[in-house]
Amino acid sequence: MSKVEDFLTQKEEQEIVEAIRLAEKNTSGEIRVHLEKTTSMDAYDRAMEVFHDLKMDETQLKNGVLIYVAIEDRTFVICGDQGINDIVLNDFWDCTKEIMVAHFKNGNFKQGLIDGIDRAGEQLKKHFPYQEGDVNELSNEISKG
């Protein structure tokens, strides 16, 4: 697989965007998925750079969650902003990552991403429930680098 565009079909991308929309429906939190071919940086450092580039660190309640995937490197990172990181259990992101890895190992990238989005959405809903007047601060579309 050489191109980011080939990682998911158009239909799979639409299903992931819909999963983000549904997950965000019950929370003020924001979830983004970013795909890129490869990175020369440490994956976590690159994910944090993308987090900033996508302005995810500018949400009102600091409750953005990014799922970053470097396709050729076969690596991904889930990172949350300070607001969500301060309240989820220490192993939350690791447990979410393990669920995603199980799907990824079988080549089921769409379902892995959707399960990660769903778990992040559950935590965001629990700690940052939807409030009257909440606006979608960030795009639900998959960003690509």
Side-chain angles (χ1 to χ4, degrees), residues 118-136:
D118 289 347
R119 279 189 51 94
E122 288 167 18
Q123 289 299 306
L124 287 167
K125 177 182 172 185
K126 181 172 154 185
H127 299 293
F128 298 97
Y130 177 83
Q131 304 287 324
E132 190 64 40
D134 275 345
V135 294
N136 189 6

Side-chain angles (χ1 to χ4, degrees), residues 60-75:
Q60 186 177 353
L61 297 175
K62 301 288 182 207
N63 57 359
V65 174
L66 173 67
I67 300 174
Y68 166 85
V69 182
I71 298 165
E72 279 188 3
D73 302 337
R74 297 181 161 266
T75 189

Side-chain angles (χ1 to χ4, degrees), residues 66-123:
L66 173 67
I67 300 174
Y68 166 85
V69 182
I71 298 165
E72 279 188 3
D73 302 337
R74 297 181 161 266
T75 189
F76 71 101
V77 174
I78 309 167
C79 51
D81 208 346
Q82 184 178 353
I84 184 80
N85 281 345
D86 285 351
I87 50 180
V88 294
L89 296 174
N90 290 339
D91 66 346
F92 174 73
W93 299 123
D94 289 335
C95 292
T96 303
K97 197 170 181 177
E98 287 170 20
I99 289 168
M100 293 173 67
V101 164
H103 286 295
F104 286 4
K105 281 183 178 173
N106 294 323
N108 195 346
F109 302 108
K110 178 200 80 169
Q111 195 58 51
L113 288 166
I114 287 175
D115 284 2
I117 290 162
D118 289 347
R119 279 189 51 94
E122 288 167 18
Q123 289 299 306

Side-chain angles (χ1 to χ4, degrees), residues 47-58:
M48 293 312 296
E49 188 176 85
V50 169
F51 196 91
H52 178 73
D53 290 347
L54 295 176
K55 300 189 182 328
M56 294 189 68
D57 51 359
E58 295 178 16

